[in-house]
Amino acid sequence: MDIISVVEMNQIYWLGRYTERVFTTIRHYFSGRDHMIEDPDYYITYCRDFTIPNCYASAEDFFVNYVYDEKNPDSIISNLNRAYDNAIVLRNTLGTETLSYMELAVNQLNHTKSGRVDLLELQKVLDDILAFWACVDDYIDSEQIRSVIKIGRHLERLNLYLRLRKRKECMTKPFHMLVAKLRKGYLEYDKKALDQLGINILSNQIDYIEGIKMSERLIGEK
């Protein structure tokens, strides 16, 4: 097995987190837009649910700038660019075909910057990320690299689902998948935080604020 540096391991982990963040936020952006047809001010609730600053002047402003504003660290394009930045420095690890789907996702989003947001084009970004994850499984031989990417993905999904106050049923699967990958021993983590996170998520009355704290303690924030 190739020796992977601490720096590279961190980049692999955050590649998993950022790709999941883009994937999950785009999916919720779709449902948020549906809500805003009936309630234009729903974007305020959306920002509150994701615990991000409401820096938008109106629903129309949110529709466009939440997707495309590169100066906003919480925008979809900013998080996609972070995922791509990590992928680029890992090009030799990921391989050309795997990396190409991250390039497609970035190019797809940049291509649609002018005018109103095209939901069909955003769906293509989701498809590119799914293809990227599939290539990770198919073309990367190192179980360690695959596992660390998935640790990032599962932890990010849990963190976002806790912020969104999802039901226990939604979080049980990603939690168990996270535990399975962490137990392989490829990444250091806070075992006490994992135990507390599990007790919380698997209980009948989830403490969402405490759950967020434990998810952020588990490996640490960048």
Side-chain angles (χ1 to χ4, degrees), residues 146-200:
R146 296 195 307 270
S147 292
V148 172
I149 288 174
K150 289 175 183 177
I151 287 170
R153 284 185 55 198
H154 300 325
L155 182 53
E156 183 66 25
R157 183 168 294 189
L158 280 173
N159 183 274
L160 291 173
Y161 281 10
L162 285 162
R163 294 177 189 277
L164 294 167
R165 305 300 198 265
K166 293 277 189 177
R167 301 187 315 276
K168 170 184 173 180
E169 291 75 15
C170 297
M171 291 187 283
T172 301
K173 181 178 178 180
F175 175 75
H176 287 307
M177 294 174 75
L178 173 64
V179 171
K181 295 301 178 184
L182 285 172
R183 285 179 176 167
K184 292 181 179 293
Y186 294 133
L187 206 60
E188 291 186 5
Y189 63 96
D190 186 328
K191 293 179 175 59
K192 182 177 179 180
L194 181 64
D195 290 342
Q196 291 175 337
L197 181 62
I199 291 169
N200 191 359

Side-chain angles (χ1 to χ4, degrees), residues 103-168:
E103 293 174 334
L104 282 172
V106 171
N107 291 339
Q108 190 69 48
L109 201 55
N110 282 318
H111 178 69
T112 63
K113 268 188 175 181
S114 59
R116 292 177 59 85
V117 177
D118 187 326
L119 298 186
L120 179 59
E121 299 302 317
L122 270 183
Q123 180 61 52
K124 291 179 182 177
V125 174
L126 291 183
D127 294 342
D128 291 334
I129 292 174
L130 286 171
F132 169 77
W133 288 336
C135 283
V136 167
D137 280 336
D138 284 348
Y139 298 128
I140 295 180
D141 293 331
S142 169
E143 182 185 4
Q144 182 177 13
I145 293 170
R146 296 195 307 270
S147 292
V148 172
I149 288 174
K150 289 175 183 177
I151 287 170
R153 284 185 55 198
H154 300 325
L155 182 53
E156 183 66 25
R157 183 168 294 189
L158 280 173
N159 183 274
L160 291 173
Y161 281 10
L162 285 162
R163 294 177 189 277
L164 294 167
R165 305 300 198 265
K166 293 277 189 177
R167 301 187 315 276
K168 170 184 173 180

Side-chain angles (χ1 to χ4, degrees), residues 22-62:
V22 173
F23 187 82
T24 297
T25 52
I26 288 178
R27 290 181 65 195
H28 280 78
Y29 175 82
F30 287 162
S31 61
R33 284 191 60 131
D34 290 341
H35 278 291
M36 279 178 260
I37 293 173
E38 300 293 331
D39 178 11
D41 287 337
Y42 180 77
Y43 74 94
I44 298 171
T45 302
Y46 183 101
C47 292
R48 186 188 65 227
D49 288 346
F50 272 100
T51 62
I52 60 175
N54 175 18
C55 55
Y56 308 100
S58 64
E60 283 299 319
D61 184 33
F62 172 84

